[in-house]
Amino acid sequence: MAEEEREKQKRFRYRINVCCSSSCISLGALKVLKSFERAVKELGLEDQCKVARTGCPGTCSAGPVVLIEPGDYFYEGVTPESAREIVEEHVIRGIPLKRFLYSVPEFFSKQKRLVLRNAGKMDPLDIREYISRGGYAALVKCLTKMSEDDVINEVFKSGLRGRGGAGFQTGQKWKFVSKAAGSPKYIIGNLDEGDPGVFANRTLAEADPHAIIEGMIIASYALKAEKGYLYTRAEYPLAIETLKKAIQQAKSLGLLGEKILGTDLNFDLELRLGAGAFIAGEETAILASIEGMRAMPRPRPPYPASSGLWGKPTLIQNVETLANIPLIVLNGGEWFSKIGVPHCPGTKCFSLTGKIKNPGLIEVPMGITLKEVVFEIGGGVPDGRRFKAVLVGGPSGGCLPESQLHLPIDYESLTKAGAIMGSGGIVVLDDESCMVDTAKFFIDFCVDESCGKCTPCRVGLVKVRKILERIGHAKGVEKDIDLLAKVGEYIKEASLCGLGQTAPNPVLTTIRYFKEEYMAHILDKKCPTGRCDMGAEGS
Amino acid sequence: MKSVRLTIDGRAVEVPDGTTILDAAMANGIKIPTLCHLEGVKDYGGCRLCLVEIKGSPKVFPACTTPVGQGMEVTTNSDRLKEYRKMALQLLLSERAHICSVCVANGACELQSLASELGVDQLIFERDWPELSVDLTHAYLVIDRNRCILCTRCIRVCDEIEGVHTLDLMLRGKETQVVIDLNENWKNATSCTGCRKCAKVCPVGAIYVKGEALSSTKDKEVAKFITERRRSAFE
Ligand SMILES: Cc1cc2nc3c(=O)[nH]c(=O)nc-3n(C[C@H](O)[C@H](O)[C@H](O)COP(=O)(O)O)c2cc1C
Ligand code: SF4
Ligand code: SF4
Ligand code: SF4
Ligand code: FES
Ligand code: FES
């Protein structure tokens, strides 16, 4: 079937990929898609051009985005009116239309797109396109040439670490689940993504749902699990639609369900929707949610690998982690282990936002420096402002100053600097950001999202916010900084789950790297940036 | 059953495999402060009072939910742990209205006695006491949410021992509250059997029996007693 589909694709000289992912749709992509279809038809080019509805290539701020192949010509800010002109110039005259060409090629220069290999180039709603691009070949390889242990060993050898935040060795986790006693076994694909400003998982699901599904089927084969859940939030309507259709298509081709591809493998995959709480992405809270209870974390041990859903062994894996699996199976663990850095191989997707020229979704090899990401891929800070800090790791990440930009991106380096990998949010702040205010903003998020179970997180964060408010209202005293540090450390160490264990990071890192700004608020009663409530004049 | 040897505060102890650090300590006369732990029901791990250190890890572990391991060296009373326990009490005391002098539980309150035991006599944080509802509608049971420390002992005893699950939590973060049925007034709670177990296990003055002296109502052992009675009945 892959061959047949490739043959069909080859007949087209051009492929016009119109991004129809969330962000571009909000900028009018669906109309653009229609205009291209009309233009191609009116110009009689239907035999030569395929107009495809695709997922996001990552350059969302430039939307609506159109990618014309061959040659990867990116058009940005395309309007329905310009579609015909682009087709006439690019396809008929063979000269790309400069006016709309994407102006920042450096955005792609340092990226390495493995997980996002199909994003923006493939119709996510057409399983045949996925297959024509090598999809499900890894599954076939597993079913025909590899034993369960072979697959687990390959994943182990690859050195892949979980992309959901903590960076646990994926192969190790698979070994645990595989050895755990009890049946049935379950697999959960974690697509909750509650961090504000983070959209990598959503984009992946909207652009290439089958990569996730294939990863889950392979896991089900390796671990002898018969049931899987893809857990996402109701706020992701397009991702949900896409995944639903993809699951249906996989079922109709015999890739899901009973006797997969005629073998003894049975795997039933179900989509589960949460109401959208940050805590619902925590692994033991997901278990509770799928079991029909309040999404609250529970202490570990027992770990889900030995006692997960309904007390049975359960593999919980982030969807980006899962999307890496087909590549590892196809190319071998050895191949994967050589990408990125040795202790942290592979790539990582990041949502790059804030005060930056080229925001969007990127995928970079591990070990790349923050500087490269912010200045080379992101193009630095716009509007003539200066770079001040970068928040790495979402709302509970760390604010790192310029002096830390040389840091390579990997779990250990980030943690040492006070940040986390998290689920891949990078927010750039410029010299207009007040750091006390920034810290307060992120603490606010965690105060609202704390599940309320444990004392440090539920109560401690409220106190931290109170102290920050006090400082912001010119009522702070010098002692407050020590108190913040003391409570912050306590919350990090004593909290039950990852939310509390990381929530103080923005406060602790802004104190670590921008203490003088806190002192100015406390002693001079003014804000050096003049940007918070207090103002530059003080009060 | 396999037994496990470990040391707690330097003392060598031997307990069956699967025992929690807390149970191992208690069985050997070493006291670790707790609030949410209640013998007879599942552990919750929420109050974070029972934190201990295990040699070889920089982290702290809740004794009530961490199983013992062969050769483990547990410390229950370092300076850091003392600090952390005081901090937890500081936070709980400043979260909701804990004015002992006007509380029904005065003198019979686990929060109060722990505070005095651990030397918390002055609040370092701003009080944050919201005004929460008090339900006086039941013939003899009262819930005053202004005193609640969200240990969920009442919820667990009602669910696991009485078996009716009248109580549960609603909302999250600092808004979290114990509710009765689906946020009903207690008198309309059709699932409640009126057994009073929740009042018996509440460590503070949040659930109590009207007109009854707290010292006679509170009975932390009730869950353990019932579970043991049941177990012996089946043996
Ligand atoms: C508050 C909180 C939110 C989380 N949200 C997510 C999430 O949205 N997606 C995710 O994959 N992991 C999330 N995690 C991490 C999961 O608990 C878990 O570690 C992860 O899904 C394991 O998969 P991995 O090994 O592939 O990373 C969250 C953790 C915490 C503490
Ligand atoms: S750390 Fe926060 S979110 Fe996690 S269990 Fe404790 S209260 Fe809930
Ligand atoms: S009185 Fe008994 S049944 Fe009613 S809420 Fe309390 S524990 Fe549950
Ligand atoms: S009412 Fe009492 S027993 Fe129930 S959660 Fe609150 S403090 Fe704990
Ligand atoms: S949504 Fe279209 S480029 Fe990202
Ligand atoms: S007694 Fe262990 S956390 Fe409450």
Side-chain angles (χ1 to χ4, degrees):
Chain A
M1 179 150 55
E3 270 312 308
E4 183 189 310
E5 185 64 25
R6 270 195 286 270
E7 276 311 310
K8 209 166 87 195
Q9 305 271 348
K10 255 195 243 155
R11 290 205 303 269
F12 297 111
R13 273 207 307 137
Y14 289 97
R15 197 181 146 92
I16 303 175
N17 297 302
V18 182
C19 170
C20 292
S21 212
S22 295
S23 168
C24 280
I25 286 186
S26 68
L27 295 165
L30 293 178
K31 281 202 186 113
V32 173
L33 176 72
K34 281 230 170 63
S35 314
F36 270 102
E37 283 166 350
R38 197 173 330 116
V40 166
K41 202 161 158 197
E42 283 170 10
L43 295 168
L45 298 170
E46 278 163 304
D47 299 337
Q48 295 185 41
C49 293
K50 170 152 175 113
V51 179
R53 169 196 176 111
T54 70
C56 165
T59 53
C60 313
S61 63
V65 166
V66 175
L67 169 68
I68 300 188
E69 292 173 298
D72 279 359
Y73 286 97
F74 261 92
Y75 287 93
E76 62 177 339
V78 178
T79 55
E81 297 72 40
S82 50
R84 192 180 165 111
E85 193 186 349
I86 292 176
V87 177
E88 281 172 348
E89 294 293 316
H90 193 120
V91 175
I92 301 182
R93 297 188 49 212
I95 305 167
L97 188 60
K98 276 225 182 70
R99 190 151 45 89
F100 289 101
L101 273 190
Y102 188 54
S103 45
V104 277
E106 70 268 23
F107 182 75
F108 290 103
S109 61
K110 295 231 157 164
Q111 292 199 42
K112 185 170 181 73
R113 294 168 79 88
L114 296 180
V115 170
L116 299 174
R117 63 197 175 280
N118 294 325
K121 302 193 163 178
M122 181 195 87
D123 182 350
L125 298 178
D126 186 351
I127 189 170
R128 292 169 168 271
E129 289 209 0
Y130 179 69
I131 294 172
S132 78
R133 301 177 65 90
Y136 289 110
L139 175 63
V140 172
K141 182 172 172 188
C142 288
L143 292 174
T144 54
K145 296 203 184 83
M146 295 169 86
S147 71
E148 289 88 336
D149 282 343
D150 289 345
V151 181
I152 297 176
N153 282 333
E154 225 43 63
V155 174
F156 189 80
K157 246 197 305 191
S158 75
L160 173 67
R161 298 172 63 175
R163 301 300 191 235
F168 191 80
Q169 289 279 347
T170 305
Q172 191 64 48
K173 214 193 256 183
W174 286 34
K175 281 193 181 169
F176 285 147
V177 178
S178 144
K179 290 206 187 94
S183 76
K185 288 179 178 166
Y186 296 97
I187 295 175
I188 299 174
N190 189 349
L191 208 168
D192 187 62
E193 203 169 50
D195 326 36
V198 178
F199 44 82
N201 286 177
R202 183 195 73 199
T203 307
L204 174 64
E206 287 176 1
D208 197 4
H210 288 290
I212 299 170
I213 295 171
E214 187 180 1
M216 291 187 79
I217 307 174
I218 292 173
S220 83
Y221 170 74
L223 306 176
K224 300 199 180 72
E226 296 204 351
K227 174 91 197 181
Y229 295 94
L230 245 172
Y231 187 88
T232 189
R233 43 185 50 225
E235 287 129 59
Y236 277 4
L238 185 61
I240 293 167
E241 244 350 88
T242 314
L243 288 166
K244 257 194 204 150
K245 286 194 184 138
I247 291 174
Q248 267 165 19
Q249 288 177 0
K251 273 193 183 144
S252 67
L253 288 186
L255 294 160
L256 276 176
E258 280 177 23
K259 301 233 165 271
I260 289 175
L261 296 178
T263 65
D264 284 337
L265 178 63
N266 302 328
F267 183 58
D268 175 31
L269 180 58
E270 198 181 311
L271 199 59
R272 275 295 173 102
L273 304 186
F278 182 42
I279 194 63
E282 198 280 335
E283 56 187 23
T284 59
I286 289 200
L287 296 176
S289 175
I290 293 180
E291 288 175 4
M293 292 180 294
R294 185 179 155 92
M296 267 232 220
R298 60 163 171 72
R300 296 165 302 176
Y303 288 89
S306 59
S307 173
L309 278 177
W310 297 286
K312 304 294 180 190
T314 303
L315 176 80
I316 303 182
Q317 209 87 73
N318 170 266
V319 292
E320 185 184 330
T321 316
L322 288 165
N324 272 299
I325 298 294
L327 288 173
I328 290 171
V329 168
L330 272 186
N331 303 309
E334 176 97 17
W335 163 82
F336 189 86
S337 69
K338 298 209 169 95
I339 304 165
V341 278
H343 63 289
C344 191
T347 59
K348 175 84 189 102
C349 302
F350 286 100
S351 316
L352 193 56
T353 57
K355 299 291 168 54
I356 189 153
K357 265 200 202 110
N358 320 322
L361 176 68
I362 62 167
E363 181 179 349
V364 288
M366 293 281 191
I368 192 173
T369 64
L370 282 168
K371 193 172 196 159
E372 288 171 286
V373 168
V374 173
F375 286 96
E376 297 186 30
I377 297 176
V381 177
D383 307 327
R385 311 251 28 138
R386 275 175 48 90
F387 170 89
K388 180 160 186 180
V390 56
L391 182 90
V392 189
S396 40
C399 270
L400 306 180
E402 193 150 14
S403 66
Q404 301 296 312
L405 285 181
H406 63 282
L407 283 182
I409 295 185
D410 65 66
Y411 298 92
E412 284 70 23
S413 307
L414 291 179
T415 309
K416 228 161 131 195
I420 52 170
M421 186 77 81
S423 45
I426 297 186
V427 185
V428 179
L429 307 172
D430 68 11
D431 54 358
E432 288 194 306
S433 320
C434 161
M435 297 320 265
V436 178
D437 219 32
T438 303
K440 198 161 67 194
F441 178 82
F442 290 110
I443 285 293
D444 256 354
F445 175 80
C446 291
V447 164
D448 289 345
E449 295 295 327
S450 164
C451 82
K453 180 167 186 171
C454 72
T455 314
C457 169
R458 181 188 72 236
V459 200
L461 290 175
V462 173
K463 302 300 162 192
V464 166
R465 185 178 58 182
K466 273 262 154 104
I467 302 170
L468 289 172
E469 260 169 23
R470 190 152 82 209
I471 296 174
H473 291 144
K475 298 206 181 83
V477 290
E478 238 182 301
K479 252 190 2 214
D480 281 343
I481 296 192
D482 292 337
L483 188 56
L484 277 178
K486 196 168 138 189
V487 189
E489 277 306 326
Y490 167 70
I491 299 172
K492 264 180 90 124
E493 295 211 340
S495 288
L496 187 154
C497 88
L499 196 156
Q501 287 159 5
T502 55
N505 285 338
V507 178
L508 294 175
T509 48
T510 46
I511 293 180
R512 178 153 150 198
Y513 299 116
F514 299 93
K515 191 163 174 186
E516 70 290 348
E517 209 162 302
Y518 278 84
M519 292 315 271
H521 282 78
I522 292 171
L523 298 178
D524 312 341
K525 308 287 177 211
K526 66 181 178 201
C527 172
T529 67
R531 283 287 149 171
C532 72
D533 293 349
M534 199 182 258
E537 305 307 318
S539 49
Chain B
M1 186 180 237
K2 218 178 91 198
S3 74
V4 171
R5 287 164 195 273
L6 66 154
T7 66
I8 305 179
D9 294 340
R11 197 175 331 155
V13 305
E14 188 168 348
V15 291
D17 194 14
T19 310
T20 64
I21 294 177
L22 181 66
D23 287 339
M26 287 205 302
N28 287 280
I30 299 166
K31 198 176 162 229
I32 300 175
T34 63
L35 273 174
C36 66
H37 171 75
L38 181 69
E39 236 185 304
V41 297
K42 277 198 205 92
D43 269 302
Y44 185 65
C47 73
R48 313 310 273 178
L49 244 78
C50 68
L51 295 177
V52 296
E53 289 168 356
I54 297 174
K55 194 171 171 193
S57 169
K59 295 198 274 189
V60 289
F61 299 82
C64 65
T65 58
T66 309
V68 293
Q70 197 64 261
M72 231 180 214
E73 292 176 41
V74 179
T75 307
T76 73
N77 229 347
S78 67
D79 286 344
R80 169 165 76 150
L81 294 172
K82 282 187 208 154
E83 264 315 294
Y84 283 6
R85 288 191 187 122
K86 281 191 185 176
M87 184 69 91
L89 293 174
Q90 283 284 355
L91 292 173
L92 288 172
L93 286 165
S94 68
E95 181 183 30
R96 286 179 188 179
H98 291 288
I99 314 168
C100 299
S101 56
V102 294
C103 179
V104 288
N106 196 4
C109 170
E110 291 180 39
L111 180 62
Q112 187 187 45
S113 49
L114 273 179
S116 91
E117 226 169 275
L118 303 182
V120 176
D121 46 16
Q122 218 172 23
L123 293 190
I124 56 173
F125 297 110
E126 263 176 70
R127 291 159 183 73
D128 205 35
W129 301 345
E131 223 174 281
L132 300 172
S133 62
V134 183
D135 184 345
L136 290 155
T137 59
H138 190 272
Y140 49 88
L141 287 160
V142 178
I143 179 165
D144 178 355
R145 297 181 175 88
N146 297 292
R147 304 278 192 248
C148 175
I149 58 167
L150 297 169
C151 67
T152 73
R153 279 195 204 170
C154 57
I155 296 174
R156 286 174 286 149
V157 86
C158 179
D159 178 38
E160 295 170 34
I161 307 287
E162 183 60 3
V164 294
H165 204 125
T166 297
L167 305 170
D168 210 330
L169 294 177
M170 88 173 174
L171 303 178
R172 64 178 181 232
K174 65 182 167 59
E175 316 284 335
T176 311
Q177 283 176 41
V178 173
V179 285
I180 297 163
D181 274 357
L182 294 172
N183 200 15
E184 274 295 337
N185 278 333
W186 211 327
K187 74 162 190 244
N188 300 330
T190 47
S191 67
C192 175
T193 63
C195 72
R196 304 167 200 223
K197 290 190 181 75
C198 48
K200 285 193 178 297
V201 302
C202 179
V204 291
I207 297 187
Y208 57 93
V209 181
K210 275 182 208 168
E212 205 172 273
L214 255 288
S215 47
S216 67
T217 313
K218 300 285 180 201
D219 181 5
K220 203 183 170 182
E221 304 285 286
V222 69
K224 179 185 167 195
F225 173 75
I226 297 170
T227 5
E228 272 168 12
R229 278 286 292 274
R230 276 195 200 143
R231 198 176 299 135
S232 59
F234 284 112
E235 263 161 14

